[in-house]
Amino acid sequence: MPNIKSYIPQNSNPLQEKFVCYIMQRGKKHLARQIFKDTLKIMAERGAKNPEKTFETAVTNVKPSLEVRPKRIAGAVYQIPMEVTANRQQMLAFRWLLTSARDKKGKKMADKLAGELMEAAEGIGNAVKKKEDSHRMAAANKAFAHFARF
């Protein structure tokens, strides 16, 4: 079986390739790569010194460490705070970044995504707000944490 790194372009890393797959819709990977490349170019034009590093910082700032999960116990449904696994953290971060970028209207996707990534790298924006809401909900339901072992 060939090494997977041979399929990754020279100027990309696995995190960026995974993000491109999340951007992709209807199997149009070439279009998704073009959007991501344009996003990095726009970020550089807007003043990001290193767009790849800004992208990684944005994803790190959006990753949640806690979330609530509903659990039915004795006829009642409790929202139980639980830690998020590393794969799910990355998936939620990508999903929240793309959803908040797609919700903006009137611009090209590369412009919207560049704006959202730069805001997330600074710790502001809709995706970071979604993470904070998730943490706030987990803190509010901390009293039900003892139900997690059932």
Side-chain angles (χ1 to χ4, degrees):
M1 182 169 220
N3 187 1
I4 190 135
K5 292 191 183 221
S6 63
Y7 294 108
I8 297 173
Q10 296 297 324
N11 59 354
S12 186
N13 64 29
L15 184 69
Q16 292 175 354
E17 285 299 309
K18 185 91 165 174
F19 191 68
V20 166
C21 290
Y22 273 82
I23 294 172
M24 181 174 55
Q25 292 181 331
R26 298 185 189 96
K28 311 231 175 184
K29 194 166 200 171
H30 178 66
L31 182 60
R33 279 182 209 252
Q34 191 63 43
I35 289 170
F36 186 70
K37 192 170 96 175
D38 292 346
T39 298
L40 293 179
K41 199 178 295 181
I42 291 167
M43 288 168 63
E45 290 171 3
R46 290 186 185 173
K49 301 242 186 286
N50 187 352
E52 289 88 6
K53 188 72 174 162
T54 305
F55 166 72
E56 291 174 11
T57 306
V59 171
T60 304
N61 287 350
V62 177
K63 284 182 180 179
S65 58
L66 290 172
E67 69 176 345
V68 291
R69 289 243 165 117
K71 193 164 215 180
R72 186 178 176 95
I73 297 171
V77 178
Y78 296 100
Q79 297 290 329
I80 298 173
M82 299 188 133
E83 289 186 16
V84 185
T85 62
N87 287 338
R88 184 161 170 80
Q89 283 179 358
Q90 184 179 6
M91 181 266 301
L92 287 172
F94 288 169
R95 188 184 293 173
W96 291 343
L97 283 165
L98 287 169
T99 302
S100 58
R102 285 178 180 142
D103 287 346
K104 296 178 182 178
K105 301 292 179 197
K107 295 181 184 175
K108 290 172 40 179
M109 181 60 186
D111 289 332
K112 298 186 289 188
L113 190 56
E116 191 61 40
L117 286 171
M118 290 186 76
E119 287 177 354
E122 295 171 8
I124 55 175
N126 292 338
V128 175
K129 184 180 179 299
K130 181 83 171 158
K131 170 197 162 181
E132 290 169 355
D133 290 345
S134 173
H135 284 202
R136 200 173 304 118
M137 182 78 82
N141 288 297
K142 204 172 199 174
F144 303 123
H146 67 282
F147 286 134
R149 59 189 151 99
F150 288 109

